[in-house]
Amino acid sequence: MPRYKLTIEYDGSPYVGWQRQINGWSVQGAIEAATLELAGTPITLFGAGRTDTGVHAVAQIGHFDMVKDLPPRTIMDAINARLRIGSERISILACEAVDESFDSRFSATARHYRYVIFNRRAHLTFDENRCWWVRKPLHVEAMDTAAKLLLGTHDFTTFRSTDCQAKSPVRTLDRLDVRRVERMNGQAGEIIEITASARSFLHNQVRSMVGSLKMVGDGRWTNDSLIEALKARDRKACGPVAPPQGLFLIQVDY
């Protein structure tokens, strides 16, 4: 049975997350529904990461098997046509035929996320659902220095959801960078980007780390506070979890 790999972009705002659920419309469910007419029979779409409600993706990866053997471009165009008709906030950026050994989740060697903070006093007009608006000025250099303390292999119990189903809380964090970037209008310093990379992440790990780094940035935590929270291995030691709308899945490596 032919297997196809999809590169998927979506605005997570109107969805209950990636995974199909009974309590709302999901990204997975929307794509599966859009593929039904083309496939002739229901397909099951598997994803590289199960993003939460409100979380976005610019390059989520998925795969599915289909009885029909069709050109990838035909599949991409057909799915996108149905998604447009349904006014879904999802786009298939690429489709390719892959070997049956490929698995979008288990074949992945790294996942990369970006979290966006809009750091200014004035309220937002265009970016409300694409970032975390933080009015108080943040010390980005302090946040970046603290972020480096989380690199490497650790027990990240403090920074994972109590609903996390992972068998082990131990993960290896390869990258955690914090920096200010310019906007298109040339205004510097309003946007803070936090980029995180690892083979895999725990449920809510990135948002939990971002929330704690924000505490460092506004002066309420020190580096020692962050290390103490990590060593506590206790969810209660975590800072407030950053809201979902600032998080983007930006790349998956294979």
Side-chain angles (χ1 to χ4, degrees):
M1 185 179 295
R3 176 164 295 186
Y4 297 94
K5 172 187 173 184
L6 302 179
T7 301
I8 309 160
E9 175 185 81
Y10 53 85
D11 172 358
S13 304
Y15 303 101
V16 295
W18 165 267
Q19 192 169 8
R20 190 188 324 107
Q21 300 178 44
I22 61 174
N23 65 328
W25 197 226
S26 68
V27 177
Q28 179 189 33
I31 298 174
E32 289 175 345
T35 310
L36 182 58
E37 183 178 343
L38 173 72
T41 57
I43 63 101
T44 299
L45 178 66
F46 299 91
R50 297 176 180 177
T51 54
D52 290 333
T53 302
V55 175
H56 317 293
V58 296
Q60 168 74 283
I61 302 297
H63 82 269
F64 68 93
D65 298 331
M66 188 172 68
V67 175
K68 295 181 180 179
D69 190 352
L70 298 173
R73 182 174 291 275
T74 298
I75 294 173
M76 182 180 75
D77 290 345
I79 296 175
N80 277 335
R82 297 304 302 177
L83 290 171
R84 287 196 302 274
I85 291 172
S87 298
E88 303 289 355
R89 302 296 298 158
I90 305 168
S91 180
I92 308 303
L93 303 181
C95 176
E96 59 182 291
V98 292
D99 186 84
E100 62 181 9
S101 64
F102 174 83
D103 187 291
S104 56
R105 179 183 177 189
F106 296 109
S107 299
T109 58
R111 293 165 174 83
H112 308 273
Y113 286 87
R114 177 174 296 135
Y115 195 94
V116 180
I117 296 175
F118 221 123
N119 190 205
R120 74 180 191 188
R121 188 172 183 83
H123 69 275
L124 305 180
T125 51
F126 298 111
D127 301 282
E128 185 175 0
N129 293 319
R130 304 288 183 276
C131 66
W132 181 11
W133 174 40
V134 176
R135 297 182 64 189
K136 186 176 180 179
L138 297 177
H139 193 312
V140 173
E141 291 76 13
M143 293 172 67
D144 187 58
T145 298
K148 300 303 184 282
L149 300 175
L150 298 178
L151 295 178
T153 302
H154 303 285
D155 180 328
F156 282 101
T157 295
T158 298
F159 301 102
R160 75 164 175 171
S161 167
T162 54
D163 296 326
C164 183
Q165 298 178 354
K167 294 181 180 179
S168 171
V170 176
R171 290 292 185 273
T172 299
L173 186 61
D174 298 314
R175 178 185 182 188
L176 192 60
D177 295 333
V178 185
R179 68 187 185 104
R180 288 192 184 271
V181 298
E182 289 189 3
R183 299 198 69 197
M184 291 179 63
N185 60 9
Q187 290 180 289
E190 290 187 341
I191 294 177
I192 299 171
E193 288 187 349
I194 301 173
T195 305
S197 300
R199 183 180 180 89
S200 63
F201 290 91
L202 299 165
H203 186 199
N204 280 172
Q205 182 181 346
V206 176
R207 288 168 54 202
S208 297
M209 293 188 301
V210 169
S212 294
L213 289 174
K214 187 259 187 186
M215 298 279 282
V216 174
D218 65 22
R220 285 183 287 173
W221 276 21
T222 64
N223 288 353
D224 288 341
S225 304
L226 186 67
I227 289 297
E228 289 171 6
L230 175 66
K231 290 182 176 180
R233 302 178 184 177
D234 183 349
R235 183 61 174 169
K236 295 178 182 178
C238 184
V241 178
Q245 64 267 22
L247 185 59
F248 296 76
L249 173 59
I250 59 173
Q251 183 177 323
V252 183
D253 297 342
Y254 293 93

